[in-house]
Amino acid sequence: MTAQRRSYEPGHKAKCLVIVDDSAEWDRAVYYASRWAIRGGGGVVMLRIIETEEQNQQWLGVADIMRAEAQDDANAALDRAAGRANGIAAITPERVIREGDPAEQILDVIDKDVDIAMLVLAANPGPEGPGPIITMIAGAAGSFPIPVTIVPGDLSDADIDALS
């Protein structure tokens, strides 16, 4: 059960959660969320998920090196996304790095931050489909704890400006 949202109570500020992944369209979600935050006086939480696999104990040293590299990559991706958000709306987003199953991590971040009022995702416009996170969310849409905004991945900045 997800905690009750408190986004609009005194002392709280509505935030939207954006997933920063390796997709080509992550920038569209960051752009929309940043515009939403500046227009509504809200905030942005950027989440990068490192998917982990069970590690064989004999390869533990290699697993530690791989985990450190994944953390470095995650920080670099969040640096790019935070720079983009700051350039769009002069905001400094919160940054979260999690390891594990994406669905579980997204829900846990939402549950732990009662100010998150919306999840913003960008959909791949290509024939291969919208992307794995959107596909997962769509399957749980009826029971998802917060509204989800899906930004078409081929919208221009001007198109998003007109919508946000």
Side-chain angles (χ1 to χ4, degrees):
M1 183 73 171
T2 301
Q4 177 69 40
R5 304 289 91 198
R6 301 184 68 196
S7 309
Y8 295 100
E9 293 180 9
H12 291 267
K13 175 171 71 170
K15 302 176 194 173
C16 59
L17 176 63
V18 178
I19 311 303
V20 177
D21 58 16
D22 293 325
S23 69
E25 61 275 356
W26 68 265
D27 177 72
R28 302 296 72 209
V30 168
Y31 192 93
Y32 181 91
S34 299
R35 296 276 303 167
W36 173 88
I38 196 69
R39 286 192 186 246
V44 175
V45 177
M46 295 182 172
L47 172 62
R48 176 72 175 209
I49 302 168
I50 300 169
E51 293 187 56
T52 57
E53 298 177 17
E54 293 301 317
Q55 307 295 333
N56 186 326
Q57 290 300 320
Q58 77 185 64
W59 298 105
L60 193 55
V62 173
D64 290 342
I65 292 169
M66 290 173 61
R67 180 172 280 122
E69 289 174 354
Q71 286 283 335
D72 289 345
D73 290 346
N75 277 309
L78 289 173
D79 286 345
R80 284 189 304 277
R84 180 75 166 128
N86 188 273
I88 295 162
I91 60 171
T92 302
E94 296 177 38
R95 301 160 47 122
V96 178
I97 298 174
R98 292 292 192 89
E99 292 184 26
D101 176 69
E104 291 174 12
Q105 297 308 315
I106 291 167
L107 290 170
D108 191 56
V109 168
I110 292 167
D111 190 51
K112 287 189 168 56
D113 188 339
V114 296
D115 290 338
I116 295 175
M118 175 175 52
L119 173 62
V120 177
L121 302 169
N124 178 353
E128 55 276 352
I133 293 177
I134 292 176
T135 302
M136 179 271 302
I137 299 290
S143 62
F144 205 73
I146 59 174
V148 178
T149 298
I150 299 174
V151 180
D154 58 358
L155 288 183
S156 69
D157 289 356
D159 292 334
I160 294 174
D161 289 346
L163 297 169
S164 56

